Amino acid sequence: MNIRTRLLVAVTSLLAVTCFILALTGYLSGRNALEEAAFSKLTSLRESNANHIEDYFGHIQKQVTTFSESKMIVQSMRAFKEAFHAVDSLEHGPWERSVLDYYTNEFQPRYQRIASVEPLIPSDLKERYWQNWYLSSNPNPTGEKDALMRASDGSEYSTVHARFHPIIRNYQKTFGYYDIFLIDPDTGHIVYSVFKEIDFATSLFDGPYKDTNFARAVREVSNSSNPGVAVLEDFEPYTPSYGAPASFIASPIVDNGSLIGVLAFQMPVDNINKVMTGDGQWPERGLGNTGETYLIGSDFTMRSIARELIEAPESYFKNLETAGMNNETKRDIQAFGTSILLQPVKTDASNAVMNGVAGAQIIDNYH
């Protein structure tokens, strides 16, 4: 090989190396640009959803405080409370058997995790009386007890119920709340609820649900001196709803400067999910085939539903197995149809967020 040929080969090799370096530099530059664009898009989506969910909770807070101040709610609270406590001179009767049968033959088979329903059965005769007429002897099936407008007991309570129940029930359905409650702030008794689950007529101060998030919200409102306060309690499993995740918001009912009751909403899980999932329009919102935004709580579990659970449940549960999730939690996710309170999100991102740090990076996901 002569000098010219060797020189030509050397120059060609140098050009090849230079081209490779330029190509690699271009590739890395392009990849960085794509990453920056993707991060920018994700950050925008995160901020948008954060604003939407904050606005939504702000809207709920305004609804509960405004509704609690309405003349109709003030009137209904006074009427329900007086009529509820007007049956003090009760005697034991065969109607009590209906209540016991409901717990053992209706509630327990639906919520088999409860070893015994005995601690849940009201010990107070008055509580059993109202549960008989509006829960166990209610001719409508479980989940549809709200269809009863007036029980046939001939009481003043049933007259009051026939008057106010259609209005409050319509409000509940219009805004999608799971349930709406009126509570006596002196005794803690739930003197009215739309759906009449097994917490109806019990006391949140000394009854079977005194340690729930619902009870905490009502106690805080009852002890507050602020007539416009609204107390929101985070999701927790709630026994009367068969252990499903439940969150509550409560506000005082004040008449002429005196606290006469507490209004409470059981939060609408479906509406929260709609906000976080964009009503299922992930691709249209720029999240492609697998992207999602979700809420997490301080316990590092979800407060909104996982996209994969909605779109590809078989794949979702296969991923849970791969991740080593215990069978009981998997069964709960299947039974409740939600990942709220059940899907752990222990990632670099969730750790950062709990320390008040925002950012964007490439990490392993919650599976």
Side-chain angles (χ1 to χ4, degrees), residues 151-224:
S152 58
D153 63 330
S155 67
E156 176 62 21
Y157 183 94
S158 292
T159 300
V160 171
H161 193 276
R163 177 185 174 190
F164 291 109
H165 177 62
I167 304 171
I168 302 174
R169 180 183 184 231
N170 182 61
Y171 189 94
Q172 174 265 324
K173 289 185 178 299
T174 299
F175 295 104
Y177 290 105
Y178 183 94
D179 209 344
I180 294 178
F181 308 84
L182 297 177
I183 302 103
D184 182 344
D186 299 317
T187 66
H189 281 104
I190 300 172
V191 298
Y192 168 82
S193 73
V194 173
F195 274 100
K196 312 297 188 301
E197 293 187 322
I198 62 171
D199 52 0
F200 169 66
T202 66
S203 171
L204 292 171
F205 293 168
D206 56 20
Y209 314 111
K210 61 184 174 61
D211 296 321
T212 63
N213 54 347
F214 187 8
R216 288 198 300 273
V218 171
R219 275 196 297 267
E220 187 171 343
V221 168
S222 300
N223 295 328
S224 175

Side-chain angles (χ1 to χ4, degrees), residues 115-153:
S116 171
V117 292
E118 189 172 344
L120 304 179
I121 300 172
S123 57
D124 184 87
L125 200 59
K126 178 167 52 181
E127 297 171 2
R128 291 192 190 190
Y129 179 83
W130 292 123
Q131 283 203 351
N132 166 64
W133 285 108
Y134 283 89
L135 181 64
S136 61
S137 293
N138 186 328
N140 301 289
T142 297
E144 299 177 24
K145 300 295 183 182
D146 61 308
L148 179 64
M149 296 296 139
R150 182 199 292 261
S152 58
D153 63 330

Side-chain angles (χ1 to χ4, degrees), residues 205-275:
F205 293 168
D206 56 20
Y209 314 111
K210 61 184 174 61
D211 296 321
T212 63
N213 54 347
F214 187 8
R216 288 198 300 273
V218 171
R219 275 196 297 267
E220 187 171 343
V221 168
S222 300
N223 295 328
S224 175
S225 59
N226 180 2
V229 70
V231 175
L232 174 66
E233 280 288 328
D234 194 6
F235 284 96
E236 289 181 8
Y238 190 58
T239 297
S241 298
Y242 301 94
S247 171
F248 297 87
I249 188 168
S251 189
I253 303 170
V254 177
D255 187 24
N256 294 323
S258 298
L259 178 69
I260 64 167
V262 176
L263 172 70
F265 295 162
Q266 190 166 341
M267 297 290 283
V269 174
D270 289 344
N271 288 358
I272 294 170
N273 285 332
K274 282 183 180 180
V275 174

Side-chain angles (χ1 to χ4, degrees), residues 268-333:
V269 174
D270 289 344
N271 288 358
I272 294 170
N273 285 332
K274 282 183 180 180
V275 174
M276 295 309 299
T277 65
D279 204 13
Q281 304 297 307
W282 292 281
E284 292 82 354
R285 297 174 64 243
L287 284 167
N289 293 325
T290 58
E292 62 178 331
T293 57
Y294 50 84
L295 296 173
I296 58 171
S298 58
D299 60 352
F300 290 91
T301 64
M302 283 189 173
R303 296 298 190 271
S304 59
I305 196 165
R307 175 180 180 177
E308 192 180 31
L309 177 57
I310 297 173
E311 291 192 322
E314 288 187 11
S315 173
Y316 177 78
F317 285 107
K318 187 176 293 184
N319 281 328
L320 294 186
E321 288 183 14
T322 303
M325 180 177 282
N326 65 72
N327 290 329
E328 183 178 335
T329 304
K330 284 187 291 186
R331 283 196 301 268
D332 283 347
I333 294 174

